[in-house]
Amino acid sequence: MSTSPTPTNQLGLTRQDYTGGKSTLCVGCGHEGITLQIIQAAFELGLESHQVAKLSGIGCSSKTPAYFLKNAWGFNSVHGRAAAVCTGVALANRSLKNLLVSGDGDSMSIGLNHFTHLIRRNVPVVYIIEDNGVYALTKGQFSATADQGSALRWGQVNELQPLDPCTLAMELGCGFVARSFSGNPKQLNTLLKAAFAHPGTAVLDVISPCVTWNNHESSTRSYQSAKNREIPLHELGFIPAFHTPQVDIPAGEAQEVAFPDGSRITFRTLHDDYDPSKLTEAWRLVHESRDRGELLTGLLYYQPGKPTIHEVMKTAPTPLTQLPQSALKPGPEALQEIMDELK
Amino acid sequence: MTTVNEFSIEVATVNGSGSQTANNVLLRAIFQMGMPVSGKNFFPSNISGMPTWFQIRVSRKGYAARKPEIDLMVCLNPETAEQDLAKLPPGALCIYDEPLNLGGRRSDITAFGVPFQALVAASCPEMKYQRLVKNMVYVGVLVRLLGIEPEEAGRALGRLIKGKAEAMNRAAMDAGYQWALANLPDQGKLLVQRLPVEQERLLIDGNTACALGALFAGVTVVGWYPITPSTGVIESLTEYAHPYRTDPTTGASTIAILQMEDELASAGVVVGAGWAGARAMTATSGPGLSLMTEFIGLAYYAECPGVFVDVQRVGPSTGLPTRSSQSDIKLCAKASHGDTLHINLYPATMEECFRFTYDAFDLAERFQTPVFLVSDLDLGMQNWITSPFAYPEGKLDRGKVLDEAALKEVQAWGRYKDVDGDGIPYRTLPGTPGGKGAYLTRGSGHNAQAAYTENPAEFAEGILRLKRKILGAAPHLPLPIQVDNGAKRGVLAFGSSDPAVQEAMDILREAHQMPLNYMRVRALPFAEAVGDFLRSMEVVYVVEQNRDGQMAALLMEFFPQEAPRLRSVLHFDSTPITAQTIVDQILSQEM
Ligand SMILES: Cc1ncc(C[n+]2csc(CCOP(=O)(O)OP(=O)(O)O)c2C)c(N)n1
Ligand code: SF4
Ligand SMILES: [Mg+2]
C-alpha cells in the first residue's frame, strides 16, 4: 500500500497539529463545519498556535475552542462578554492573534453592548458568530437573529424583527464584515484566511444550523433553507503573504485587494454592481436582499486602514506583558519628585 | 470652647461655585503652618447649585475624625443658612453673607456680616468671574480672623490655582483680608498658631495615593467606568502615567488605560489582561462592583490575577453616591455566585492606600486571584496629612509563572496541580513559545490538568484547594495593628474608622476611666493574631460604618467560638463616624 506523504505547511506542521480535543457537539451540528474550517485555515496560513488566543463566551458555539488549535491558549469565559476579555488580552499582549468564537445569543443579546464597543475600538480579532438563530445550549429558545416568521420546532413563531450582526457591524464602522454558511466550506475557508490578515476587528457571521433545535422545515436557519436561499456575492480567492503556487485564483476577471501583511484577496463578482468597498451601497443591497428572503454571502464590506486600538492608544510596540520591571516600576527619584510636589 | 489650634470650621456654600478650591487654600495654609488639620467635603450628587458643606478640623492633638460641634461657621448659602446657624453651639463664631441678615438672630453666638458681593465687585472687575472668586473672599476674612499667616495663604493659593485665575483669586482673597483688618475686632477665641514641624508632611487624598501605588507596582492594563467616588483613582493614574510611563522619544505608552462601556466590561478587561500576564486593575464603587461579580467569580475559580479597588459609597442601590460608608465589606469578601473568599486589604491611612495598592498587585499574581483594595469616600476623596511614602523596594512578585525554559524542565505540567502543597498552582501565559504549556481556561468544572470534568471528586478537590490557597494567604497580608493598654476589653476596627476610634479611646480613658485595647484589622482572610486578640479579651467592640455589622459577621464566621464576646458599634447615617458616636455606643453597652 503506497501512502502519499502527509501535507505540511510552511512551518512543517500537518493539519493534525491544528486540531483540538474531541467534540461533544451533536452529530451534524453546523458549528462543527466552522471548527473544521478554522483548523484548515490555520493550517494553510501556517499560524503559530501559541500566538493565537482563542476566546469565547458561553453556548454550544463557545465550547468549540476546545476542539481546535490544541496548542493555543484559550479562554471559555462568561456568557456574552468574551469581547471584553478579548480587549484585555489585546491590551496586555498585542502580539497575539485573537480568535473569538461566539453565538448569536452570546453576541446579539447579552453581549451586544460589548460587541458594539469592541468594533468601535477596532480591537484586533477575528470575531466569528456561529449563527443558528437559537439559544441552543439552553435548549432552543429564539435568539435575536431569528428571522421574523421563523418557527420553533414546537410551533412558536418569532414575531420580532431580527438583528443582523453584519449590517450592525457595518454601521459601527467595522473594517471587515463577512457572512458565510457552514455548508459552504470553500468560501468560509477563504474568508477566515482573509480575516486573519485584517489588522483590526473582522466580523464573520456564519450561518450554522443547529440540527437539534432549529433544522426543521418551518425554520429559516435549517441547512435546507440556507442552501436554497444562499447567493454568494463573489468567487473568492486568497493569496497569503508567503505566496505558494497551489493557491487557486478564480478564473475570469478578478479584482484584488491587498492586506497590510502583504496577503491579497481576489474576487470575481457574481452579483451585479456589488462593491464591498462602498459602505452605503453595500448596506442597502444586503438589506434589500434580506427583505427578499435571500441570504447574501461573501465579503460584505471591506475597508482597511482604520486605526486599531493600539494605534489610537499609542500602546508600546513591545507587548506590555513582556516589559521588564525597569520599564514598569519608576525609581525612587520619581516617587521623591511626586512627594515633593505634594508638600 | 476650644481655642488655639483646637477647633472646627464649617463652610456652607452651594456646589459649582468654586468653593472647593477656596476650602483647599484654607486647609493648605493651615497645614503649611505645621498644624495637624483635616478637611471633609460634604457634597451633593449634582454638578451645580446644591448645598455643600466643608469642614476643617484643626487639632493640635492630631485628631482627624469628623467633629460635629462647629466652632466657626461660614454661611454663604441662603437655602441652608437657618439650619446652619441653628446647629452652632453657644459661644460659636459665625461669618455670614451680609444680605442673609443673620446678625442678632442668636444672642449666644458672635456673628459678623461680610459684604461679599461688594468686595468681590471691587476686586474683580470682570462680572463673569465674580461668582467663581467670591469664595476666596471668605478665605481672606478667615486668614485675618484666625491669625493664619497671610504669606502661607498666598503660597497655598499659588500652589492650587494657576494661570489667569491666580491673580483674580489673589485679589479677592486680599479684599477679604483687608476688609476684615479694617472691620472685624480681634477675637482671642479661635487661633491658628504655627507649630514646629518635626517630620516632613504632605497633603494627599486616598485616591491619588492608591493611583501612585498602582503606578509603582507597574500596572499595565486598566479597564474602568466612571463612578463617584472612585473616578479620581483612574484620573490620577492617567495624569501620573503621562510623565512616568510614556517613552519620551516615541510617545509610546507602557500602560493601557481604557474607559469601557460598563463595569461588566471593565472586569472582563481585568480578567482577560490578568490571564494574559498583565498587571491589571480597575477602580469602582458599590454599584459597579455589583456588576463585576460574575467576572470576579470566574477569576477566583479560573485563577486569574487582578486588582479591584472599591471606593465605598453609601448603598443600597445608588444610595447616596457622594457619601461615605463601609458597607461593601461583605460584597468585597465574597463577590460572586458560588463559594468564594477574596483577599481584601483595608487601608486606613494614606501610606496604606499607597502601599496596599502596590502590594495588591504582588498578591494578585502570587495567589492568582482577584485582590480587593477596600477604600471609601472618606479616605479616597478627602485630603489627609501624611508622611511622604516610603519607596517600595524590591522586585515585583510575578508569582508562579512557567516560561519556555521552565516548561522544558517540567515533566507533567498541570495548570491546576498543587505541586508545592500551598494550593497555588503554576500558570503559563499565552504566547509562550516551545509548544508546551497551552491550556483552555474555563469557569466550568475542571480537573488538575484544566480539562473539563463533571467528576464530583475532582470538582470538590478543586474548590477545596482554592479555599486552602486563599486561607494560606493570611500570613502574607498586612498584619493587624495592635495597641495594648493592659485592658480586658478591646475595640476592633478597620479602614477610615481609625481616627475616630483613636480619639474615642482617649475620651474613654480620660473621661470615663475605661482604657481599652485596640486591634486594627488590615486584611482578609484574618491573621491568627485576630483570633488571639478576640480570645484574650472579655468583650470586643467591633466598630464599623454599616448597618448590619458586616465585619462582625465575618469575624463570627472565622472565629465562631468568640462570637459571644463581640458587640457591634455601628454608624450608618452617611456621615463619617465620630469619636462621640463610638464613646456613646460603648458606654451604653457597658451599662
Ligand atoms: C449570565 C448567564 N445567563 C444565562 C446563561 C445560560 N446560557 C448558556 S448558553 C446560552 C445561550 C447560548 O446561545 P448562543 O450564544 O446562540 O449559542 P449556541 O448554543 O446557540 O451555539 C444561555 C442563555 C449563562 N450561562 N450565563
Ligand atoms: S444543540 Fe444544536 S448547536 Fe448545540 S451542539 Fe447540538 S446541534 Fe449544535
Ligand atoms: Mg445560537
Side-chain angles (χ1 to χ4, degrees):
Chain A
M1 197 175 83
S2 79
T3 49
S4 53
T6 323
T8 54
N9 62 14
Q10 85 270 28
L11 295 181
L13 299 174
T14 66
R15 192 184 162 283
Q16 184 62 26
D17 292 319
Y18 291 90
T19 57
K22 193 173 165 298
S23 168
T24 59
L25 302 186
C26 306
V27 174
C29 172
H31 301 346
E32 301 280 32
I34 304 172
T35 294
L36 282 176
Q37 290 319 312
I38 292 172
I39 293 169
Q40 187 64 28
F43 165 64
E44 289 173 17
L45 286 172
L47 293 186
E48 294 192 276
S49 291
H50 73 271
Q51 281 290 72
V52 178
K54 305 177 291 183
L55 307 154
S56 66
I58 300 288
C60 293
S61 36
S62 291
K63 286 183 178 192
T64 63
Y67 314 141
F68 56 80
L69 270 63
K70 53 181 171 285
N71 291 321
W73 275 257
F75 200 155
N76 182 191
S77 65
V78 298
H79 191 26
R81 313 192 199 287
V85 175
C86 177
T87 305
V89 172
L91 295 178
N93 185 345
R94 62 183 296 177
S95 72
L96 295 173
K97 280 218 162 295
N98 301 310
L99 172 58
L100 192 158
V101 180
S102 176
D104 43 325
D106 203 58
S107 281
M108 288 297 108
S109 294
I110 189 167
L112 185 61
N113 192 17
H114 311 308
F115 174 78
T116 59
H117 287 275
L118 176 100
I119 293 174
R120 189 175 151 251
R121 298 186 183 107
N122 205 18
V123 175
V125 56
V126 175
Y127 194 120
I128 302 171
I129 299 169
E130 305 194 342
D131 191 343
N132 53 17
V134 284
Y135 288 17
L137 191 57
T138 49
K139 299 192 189 276
Q141 303 80 6
F142 277 126
S143 84
T145 66
D147 290 311
Q148 211 162 14
S150 187
L152 289 181
R153 231 172 49 178
W154 41 89
Q156 192 189 332
V157 175
N158 174 44
E159 308 285 1
L160 299 175
Q161 221 188 295
L163 283 183
D164 181 343
C166 289
T167 50
L168 180 61
M170 286 157 86
E171 164 67 25
L172 292 165
C174 183
F176 185 112
V177 182
R179 178 137 43 219
S180 193
F181 170 38
S182 83
N184 186 347
K186 189 158 170 272
Q187 183 199 53
L188 178 55
N189 173 280
T190 313
L191 286 170
L192 278 168
K193 286 187 286 188
F196 272 112
H198 180 68
T201 307
V203 169
L204 285 90
D205 178 44
V206 185
I207 304 304
S208 176
C210 167
V211 293
T212 302
W213 307 113
N214 206 12
N215 199 36
H216 43 281
E217 241 173 55
S218 49
S219 158
T220 57
R221 276 313 141 81
S222 64
Y223 276 111
Q224 199 51 54
S225 166
K227 266 188 199 131
N228 293 346
R229 298 185 301 118
E230 184 186 8
I231 301 182
L233 280 170
H234 25 236
E235 254 178 64
L236 290 170
F238 182 77
I239 310 167
F242 55 87
H243 176 72
T244 51
Q246 71 261 37
V247 212
D248 57 316
I249 301 166
E253 258 184 73
Q255 270 183 302
E256 209 178 84
V257 181
F259 290 93
D261 70 354
S263 55
R264 286 167 291 156
I265 190 163
T266 63
F267 23 156
R268 194 165 60 84
T269 300
L270 300 175
H271 190 286
D272 289 343
D273 48 67
Y274 193 96
D275 181 349
S277 69
K278 299 230 158 57
L279 179 62
T280 343
E281 266 303 285
W283 197 84
R284 182 176 65 81
L285 288 169
V286 174
H287 265 282
E288 285 176 359
S289 102
R290 199 181 63 196
D291 291 346
R292 286 195 297 273
E294 299 164 0
L295 179 64
L296 276 189
T297 61
L299 186 57
L300 302 187
Y301 179 61
Y302 180 61
Q303 182 57 255
K306 183 180 165 187
T308 68
I309 190 162
H310 297 302
E311 284 150 355
V312 173
M313 293 180 76
K314 298 196 172 62
T315 335
T318 311
L320 301 183
T321 51
Q322 283 161 30
L323 292 171
Q325 172 167 329
S326 57
L328 299 179
K329 184 177 176 183
E333 66 295 336
L335 184 61
Q336 184 64 49
E337 191 173 69
I338 295 168
M339 293 291 99
D340 285 346
E341 280 166 16
L342 293 162
K343 275 176 198 161
Chain B
M1 182 172 181
T2 44
T3 54
V4 178
N5 294 347
E6 198 68 53
F7 59 89
S8 288
I9 308 168
E10 181 165 304
V11 179
T13 50
V14 289
N15 72 330
S17 65
S19 58
Q20 178 69 343
T21 319
N23 294 327
N24 282 328
V25 169
L26 197 56
L27 184 78
R28 184 156 253 292
I30 299 171
F31 159 76
Q32 286 168 190
M33 287 175 65
M35 201 66 50
V37 61
S38 55
K40 291 202 191 299
N41 189 14
F42 299 87
F43 57 103
S45 177
N46 161 278
I47 299 303
S48 175
M50 292 258 288
T52 162
W53 294 269
F54 193 83
Q55 289 181 0
I56 292 177
R57 181 170 185 188
V58 180
S59 171
R60 183 180 10 129
K61 296 183 197 149
Y63 293 141
R66 180 171 74 89
K67 179 173 169 281
E69 303 76 34
I70 303 301
D71 302 297
L72 165 61
M73 174 72 77
V74 178
C75 291
L76 285 176
N77 184 0
E79 215 182 298
T80 62
E82 286 294 336
Q83 152 200 352
D84 294 332
L85 192 72
K87 71 181 176 200
L88 288 177
L93 286 180
C94 173
I95 299 288
Y96 63 91
D97 193 4
E98 218 165 36
L100 294 177
N101 244 330
L102 300 180
R105 206 73 72 82
R106 277 185 59 176
S107 56
D108 59 342
I109 64 161
T110 312
F112 302 111
V114 181
F116 283 103
Q117 193 46 47
L119 289 170
V120 80
S123 69
C124 179
E126 282 189 75
M127 274 276 274
K128 61 178 173 183
Y129 295 121
Q130 286 178 0
R131 197 180 70 91
L132 291 174
V133 301
K134 185 170 168 188
N135 290 289
M136 212 50 77
V137 175
Y138 72 71
V139 177
V141 173
L142 293 188
V143 166
R144 153 70 187 141
L145 196 66
L146 302 174
I148 295 169
E149 295 168 15
E151 311 71 56
E152 292 297 3
R155 202 153 69 83
L157 190 148
R159 286 285 303 266
L160 297 173
I161 308 168
K162 307 268 181 233
K164 184 180 174 196
E166 184 180 341
M168 279 192 302
N169 278 285
R170 229 174 251 290
M173 184 166 83
D174 198 49
Y177 183 80
Q178 296 301 340
W179 180 88
L181 203 58
N183 296 285
L184 293 188
D186 279 335
Q187 57 85 28
K189 283 180 180 173
L190 310 174
L191 288 177
V192 181
Q193 274 172 15
R194 182 173 279 279
L195 286 183
V197 180
E198 273 126 40
Q199 288 164 329
E200 280 193 305
R201 307 179 320 151
L202 51 94
L203 265 179
I204 194 170
D205 61 74
N207 284 347
T208 305
C210 174
L212 289 173
L215 180 81
F216 283 86
V219 58
T220 46
V221 177
V222 181
W224 74 291
Y225 191 79
I227 181 169
T228 305
S230 71
T231 306
V233 174
I234 308 300
E235 284 179 346
S236 175
L237 181 61
T238 308
E239 220 170 280
Y240 283 116
H242 187 68
Y244 295 109
R245 296 290 291 279
T246 312
D247 184 322
T249 45
T250 60
S253 180
T254 62
I255 181 171
I257 303 176
L258 190 59
Q259 184 180 322
M260 297 305 295
E261 54 272 25
D262 57 26
E263 286 90 346
L264 299 127
S266 307
V269 161
V270 172
V271 172
W275 174 78
R279 297 208 127 186
M281 78 175 288
T282 189
T284 188
S285 192
L289 194 60
S290 303
L291 291 183
M292 292 179 179
T293 54
E294 188 191 17
F295 260 125
I296 291 167
L298 173 74
Y300 170 81
Y301 184 47
E303 302 182 65
C304 305
V307 173
F308 293 78
V309 176
D310 178 22
V311 188
Q312 298 168 95
R313 62 191 217 179
V314 174
S317 186
T318 47
L320 296 177
T322 58
R323 298 296 157 95
S324 194
S325 83
Q326 296 180 317
S327 57
D328 295 345
I329 299 308
K330 210 172 58 182
L331 178 61
C332 291
K334 303 281 175 110
S336 170
H337 48 286
D339 290 314
T340 35
L341 178 67
H342 300 300
I343 295 176
N344 282 205
L345 305 177
Y346 307 114
T349 65
M350 294 301 101
E351 284 164 288
E352 288 179 353
C353 286
F354 171 70
R355 182 64 209 218
F356 288 7
T357 309
Y358 176 89
D359 291 337
F361 286 88
D362 280 1
L363 292 166
E365 290 195 316
R366 167 64 31 196
F367 294 96
Q368 301 176 21
T369 197
V371 172
F372 291 75
L373 185 94
V374 189
S375 176
D376 62 26
L377 183 145
D378 196 24
L379 287 167
M381 290 187 75
Q382 311 295 9
N383 277 304
W384 298 82
I385 292 179
T386 177
S387 304
F389 302 154
Y391 185 73
E393 298 290 347
K395 282 178 78 161
L396 305 175
D397 181 357
R398 307 305 305 260
K400 298 186 192 178
V401 178
L402 298 177
D403 59 10
E404 185 184 3
L407 275 167
K408 270 202 192 110
E409 304 298 314
V410 180
Q411 286 307 312
W413 172 74
R415 169 65 183 97
Y416 298 117
K417 236 160 93 174
D418 184 6
V419 181
D420 303 327
D422 55 4
I424 311 171
Y426 284 80
R427 64 182 189 128
T428 59
L429 303 180
T432 307
K436 281 175 98 177
Y439 70 103
L440 185 90
T441 304
R442 38 163 69 86
S444 30
H446 46 259
N447 60 19
Q449 300 301 320
Y452 183 78
T453 183
E454 292 188 13
N455 177 316
E458 281 182 329
F459 180 76
E461 188 187 305
I463 59 165
L464 283 173
R465 177 182 58 75
L466 285 178
K467 185 171 183 180
R468 266 203 329 275
K469 177 181 85 165
I470 300 297
L471 291 179
H476 306 279
L477 308 178
L479 295 173
I481 304 267
Q482 235 167 310
V483 180
D484 188 348
N485 289 324
K488 292 213 164 57
R489 298 166 118 62
V491 187
L492 184 147
F494 59 96
S496 68
S497 301
D498 180 56
V501 170
Q502 298 209 29
E503 187 178 349
M505 285 177 43
D506 286 354
I507 298 172
L508 285 166
R509 191 186 58 247
E510 287 159 17
H512 304 277
Q513 292 71 52
M514 189 187 169
L516 291 166
N517 285 4
Y518 178 30
M519 169 160 280
R520 178 158 70 78
V521 167
R522 302 199 295 171
L524 186 77
F526 300 119
E528 253 322 297
V530 176
D532 294 343
F533 177 76
L534 299 185
R535 274 185 287 276
S536 70
M537 294 287 103
E538 285 169 1
V539 167
V540 175
Y541 290 99
V542 182
V543 178
E544 48 189 318
Q545 302 182 56
N546 59 58
R547 184 194 66 184
D548 294 343
Q550 299 183 20
M551 179 60 78
L554 284 175
L555 289 166
M556 289 182 206
E557 182 186 322
F558 274 76
F559 310 107
Q561 274 155 354
E562 318 317 321
R565 302 165 206 271
L566 304 185
R567 294 182 191 170
S568 277
V569 171
L570 303 171
H571 179 78
F572 48 87
D573 68 359
S574 85
T575 60
I577 194 167
T578 65
Q580 200 56 48
T581 304
I582 298 170
V583 169
D584 292 348
Q585 287 193 34
I586 288 180
L587 289 178
S588 74
Q589 294 186 69
E590 283 289 317
M591 298 224 230

